[in-house]
Amino acid sequence: MHRLLLLCCLWLLAAPPASSIFQRPTGSPAPRHLQYLLEPPYAAVHTQRGATATLPCVLRALPHNYRVKWSKVEPSNYRESIIIITNGLYHKNYGPLSPRVRLRHSHRYDASLTITNVALEDEGRYRCQLVNGLEDESVSLTLHLEGVVFPYQPSNGRYKFNYDEAKRACEQQDSRLATYQQLYKAWTEGLDWCNAGWILDGTVHYPIINSREPCGGRLLLPGVRTYGARDKQKDRFDAFCFTSALQGQVYFIRGHLNFKEAGQACRNHGAAIAKVGQLYSAWKFSQLDRCDGGWLADGSVRYPITTPRERCGGLPDPGVRSFGFPSKELRTYGTYCFAGK
């Protein structure tokens, strides 16, 4: 008995104190504790271009001499841009979002951010930060736009864009360079494209559903294949563009028109010849379905198919089909027009 008691005493002396037995492993983060801010009810807000979206940020208590600062993390350079700062009584707006943002302020604890007429470039991660001396804390939310990703190359062939040219080309087609998350989602929905293209963060990728020899070989697994970050000035690829819902309508005018006549036909109806992004948006959100090839603003000829059929290209999947960039003098096609609201 005495020997057993001695062994027990020796074990207790050698054992670490109780507080260290249950402490977190080295390097693991402390559990998050928000003293003044409520955890948002959801991590992402889903919306469309042209809509009004609200990012929730609600205080559980009002500390003395506090400020709330909203900022946006820009996906192209990962820098934070200040949007609005308030002390509960007064506020000041900053940056390009300034005319379209306000605090919801439905009650004295509400610091939620409302964005009106949501634009393509508004997608991304936002941070609501309570600034209160040494007790600063913040919550993050993501604004997601529902939309469609499409590959884009110019009339003179593939792999002609450096990064800035790809960015400009998407903007000219009523779209913007896609983010990686948008490209990945498009891949999960069936986007299969063999040509590599720039995305917003300056990296280059291509999405493959069906592995095949010209696209890296049959042995590589399907996925979003990556070339990583490339030289934005010297390297040249295609572009992956993203667009969302339209504030207007795309419609088709029949005829045997050359490119110049197509533009005039749209203007005669008080509209403009449609851009590529606008046709993709009408296909995605308005289920525009036509078997007729029509001129677009970049000089390409395309047509949108939502119900695949043998006499409309014969491909099994919905999509926007392309005839490429025929001679602008050809009088073979009609035209797609866009009339804004």
Side-chain angles (χ1 to χ4, degrees):
M1 178 63 72
H2 292 292
R3 185 176 182 180
L4 182 59
L5 288 172
L6 178 61
L7 288 173
C8 290
C9 292
L10 289 173
W11 181 86
L12 288 171
L13 288 171
S19 60
S20 66
I21 293 175
F22 299 104
Q23 68 184 9
R24 293 183 307 278
T26 303
S28 63
R32 188 177 184 191
H33 176 69
L34 294 174
Q35 182 178 355
Y36 293 107
L37 294 177
L38 289 173
E39 190 73 35
Y42 34 80
V45 173
H46 295 264
T47 188
Q48 294 180 355
R49 178 168 55 175
T52 296
T54 297
L55 302 171
C57 183
V58 178
L59 284 67
R60 69 171 80 239
L62 300 177
H64 294 291
N65 301 319
Y66 77 95
R67 289 180 298 155
V68 171
K69 178 176 73 174
W70 275 100
S71 56
K72 182 176 186 287
V73 180
E74 300 298 340
S76 57
N77 54 25
Y78 300 104
R79 295 179 180 174
E80 284 200 20
S81 300
I82 296 175
I83 300 170
I84 194 168
I85 297 178
T86 179
N87 64 359
L89 295 175
Y90 306 100
H91 69 273
K92 185 174 181 179
N93 294 14
Y94 298 86
L97 266 173
S98 180
R100 296 188 290 114
V101 295
R102 58 180 171 82
L103 294 171
R104 182 174 63 181
H105 209 63
S106 59
H107 51 79
R108 63 195 297 249
Y109 299 99
D110 185 14
S112 302
L113 182 73
T114 294
I115 305 173
T116 60
N117 194 22
V118 170
L120 293 176
E121 59 269 22
D122 296 343
E123 172 150 315
R125 187 161 62 89
Y126 291 76
R127 189 161 74 110
C128 175
Q129 181 182 15
L130 183 136
V131 182
N132 181 36
L134 299 177
E135 300 181 77
D136 296 357
E137 55 191 55
S138 65
V139 294
S140 294
L141 300 104
T142 301
L143 184 67
H144 283 304
L145 267 70
E146 298 170 6
V148 57
V149 171
F150 61 93
Y152 189 75
Q153 57 184 223
S155 59
N156 57 341
R158 71 172 195 161
Y159 294 176
K160 300 297 183 182
F161 295 135
N162 65 23
Y163 175 81
D164 291 327
E165 291 165 346
K167 185 172 181 289
R168 188 161 53 249
C170 288
E171 291 167 355
Q172 289 171 348
Q173 297 309 314
D174 192 50
S175 58
R176 66 172 296 186
L177 279 176
T179 65
Y180 181 82
Q181 290 77 13
Q182 289 165 345
L183 181 62
Y184 184 87
K185 183 174 185 290
W187 170 73
T188 67
E189 295 172 350
L191 181 60
D192 183 288
W193 196 254
C194 210
N195 296 339
W198 294 101
I199 63 171
L200 188 59
D201 64 2
T203 57
V204 175
H205 309 266
Y206 64 104
I208 294 296
I209 299 289
N210 302 306
S211 298
R212 50 203 186 274
E213 286 304 327
C215 305
R218 298 181 183 276
L219 298 180
L220 284 180
L221 293 174
V224 179
R225 312 241 176 99
T226 179
Y227 287 6
R230 310 298 291 190
D231 189 308
K232 290 184 177 181
Q233 297 303 316
K234 296 180 180 179
D235 290 328
R236 294 187 173 270
F237 297 95
D238 291 345
F240 285 106
C241 305
F242 172 84
T243 192
S244 185
L246 286 174
Q247 298 298 292
Q249 180 188 11
V250 172
Y251 60 92
F252 182 74
I253 295 179
R254 288 184 178 276
H256 298 283
L257 309 170
N258 63 29
F259 178 71
K260 185 177 180 180
E261 293 166 342
Q264 187 59 53
C266 291
R267 289 191 292 274
N268 290 344
H269 285 77
I273 189 168
K275 300 177 179 179
V276 177
Q278 291 167 342
L279 184 65
Y280 269 93
S281 180
W283 165 74
K284 174 76 172 180
F285 292 99
S286 302
Q287 288 73 54
L288 184 62
D289 183 294
R290 288 206 68 102
C291 227
D292 307 279
W295 291 104
L296 296 177
D298 66 340
S300 65
V301 173
R302 307 175 195 246
Y303 62 102
I305 296 296
T306 56
T307 304
R309 46 211 187 269
E310 189 62 34
R311 295 182 62 185
C312 297
L315 296 176
D317 300 315
V320 174
R321 320 280 196 235
S322 175
F323 286 114
F325 294 84
S327 168
K328 291 184 176 180
E329 301 305 315
L330 279 179
R331 285 189 170 92
T332 307
Y333 308 104
T335 183
Y336 287 97
C337 303
F338 172 72
K341 288 183 178 179

